[in-house]
Amino acid sequence: MEKVKLKLPDGSEKEFQKGVTAYEVAESISKRLAEDALAALHNDSVIDLHRPIENDGSLRLLTFDDPEGKHVYWHSTSHVMAHAIEELYPGAKFGVGPAIDNGFYYDIDINERLSDEDLKRIEDKMREIVERGERFEREVLPKDKAINFFKKKNDPYKLELLEDIDGNSEIVSLYHEGSFTDLCRGPHLPNTKKIKHFKLLSVSGSYWRGSSDRQMLQRVYGVSSPKKKFIDEYLERLEEAKRRDHRKLGRDLELFMFNEISPGAPFWLPKGMIVFRELEKFIREELDNTGYDEISTPILVKKKLWQQSGHWDHYQENMFLLEVDDETFSIKPMNCPESTYVYKTKVRSYKDLPIRLSEIGRLHRNEISGALGGMFRVRQITMDDAHLFVRPDQILDEIGKLIELITKVYTIFGFDPTFSLATRPDDSMGDPALWEKAERALEEALKRNKIDFDLKEKDGAFYGPKIDVQIMDALGRMWQLATIQLDFQMPERFDLEYVNENDDRVRPVMIHRAVFGSFERFIGILVEHYAGAFPTWLAPLQVAVLPISDTHHVYATAVADRLKRAGIRVELDLRNEKIGYKIREWETQKVPYMLVVGNKEMENKSVSVRKHHKGDTGAQELEEFVSVISREIQMKKLSN
């Protein structure tokens, strides 16, 4: 019999008969591993446990502790959910049902709107299907046969997905699970009994393939796990996320609001503008100290600019267009092409480079209405943008400085950044050789700075590869914020030059970068990360002064005036209310400090200090408190 050699995670190499399954390999190692295994990673492909292995290579058994294992578990549960829906709603049609970062969803087309009660019915039917212990069986067949199958089933969404596959002879895979069959690459669990615990979470509307011109489907979300504890903890996190929802907190704390009069654009309220301005001030100071020059470029720009930059071919659907004097203009979705005009205002020498141009300005992107979501997906954004024009020999040094800047900024907010390298996408423009050169430069910069990074294949911008920076918030959610993009294309398209040491005219390299990403999204993340309780330096209101009674108003006013002179944001609460009521009210407003003043404080020229969430911390002399809070603000301390 022919053999296959499989290298296991411990470094050992074992021989098995050709056609052995990953499940059989797991059994040969440990009965417990065979029970826990959900799928396997053979070389670079995740495969079903019972799929025959025909080639040598590495093999890793996947459990729910592995990200790939979770995805197999969740994707299989989405199939069971679709099966349940098909049994409960005959004639239901199905879009896609992938695993996502925290669970799964399936897009469905049925005639009635699903309610919470309907979700419970679907869950009950899912339990029936799980108890049947039906196998997930993979069938490989030519595309034309799959088309015939889904024509008979009258499922237009699967047919459309099949139509996108080139060539009728192309091989596709279906998965059968009991009476339910789906078009799917897989892999899946061995059988439905592997699915122990699950919860359907919500239903939302979703346009087919993300286009508002297409059919509106219902997207049913859920989560599943081998252990009930995972589900319980996940539901607790969801409740905590609701408590921290930036849309609710933004309204309650009077930071920002949204109105249908301008979908996808926030109305900044006075307190929210304080946070905005503090962030703006902070990033400007950092840039001033690191050699940036600030510019501002027009919002309304002629079509020909976007044609020259490549955005017209690659980004037009996201642009707001209008006709002015029989010419097509666009409200700019990004700043980069216009920064090239600033660069070209005069002849540049190699001695002038690097040139670092920053721009904090409004951009507009035509996001589809169904994708809008609070501050996290808006049509009007404010970016802390910058474009650096450098010599090739300066690339590594400049990217190193950008990594240092991003790390420093994020640390101040309590974030520990992680990095990814995103490579050339399918719809890229420009010379592949330049792409390869740019990707190598970014990779070398990450390695030189001893940065561990993940590879995001084909996820670069259309004009260049990039380094993406992610942070994890207080709820364990990952957010992609900062980006560093290396661009050889734009200097070519806009004929950018500098005079080198040999008096030759040569091309600079362009680096695009943002630190916050956008102020809107960053502030939304901060609101949820801090649950609205900003660090003192960033808080819209830093101190509330609370006199106990009318007889203390004069002293309380003097305290507030002293704080104002020190540059501290303060509010004086002279309402005729009991002190306990005032304290509770200001606690809900998440003000970092409350200063209670009564007879004792008047006599001693002191204040009784209360910290948000910590309560009474004792009395302090007024001048001592001013010194302490001023230092806290100056140092941008994280905790109150």
Side-chain angles (χ1 to χ4, degrees), residues 2-31 33 42-43 53-61:
E2 286 189 66
K3 301 284 187 178
V4 289
K5 291 181 181 179
L6 298 176
K7 186 174 183 180
L8 302 178
D10 64 1
S12 64
E13 191 171 84
K14 295 187 177 182
E15 279 194 347
F16 297 89
Q17 286 187 355
K18 190 174 184 179
V20 69
T21 67
Y23 181 77
E24 290 168 336
V25 174
E27 275 193 314
S28 74
I29 298 170
S30 150
K31 186 177 179 181
L33 178 59
H42 180 231
N43 295 327
I53 298 172
E54 306 288 341
N55 301 305
D56 296 345
S58 61
L59 185 76
R60 180 161 62 91
L61 282 304

Side-chain angles (χ1 to χ4, degrees), residues 402-412 415 417 419 451:
L402 289 174
I403 291 171
E404 185 180 335
L405 171 67
I406 289 166
T407 303
K408 176 185 176 183
V409 168
Y410 284 5
T411 300
I412 285 171
F415 297 132
F419 297 79
I451 300 288

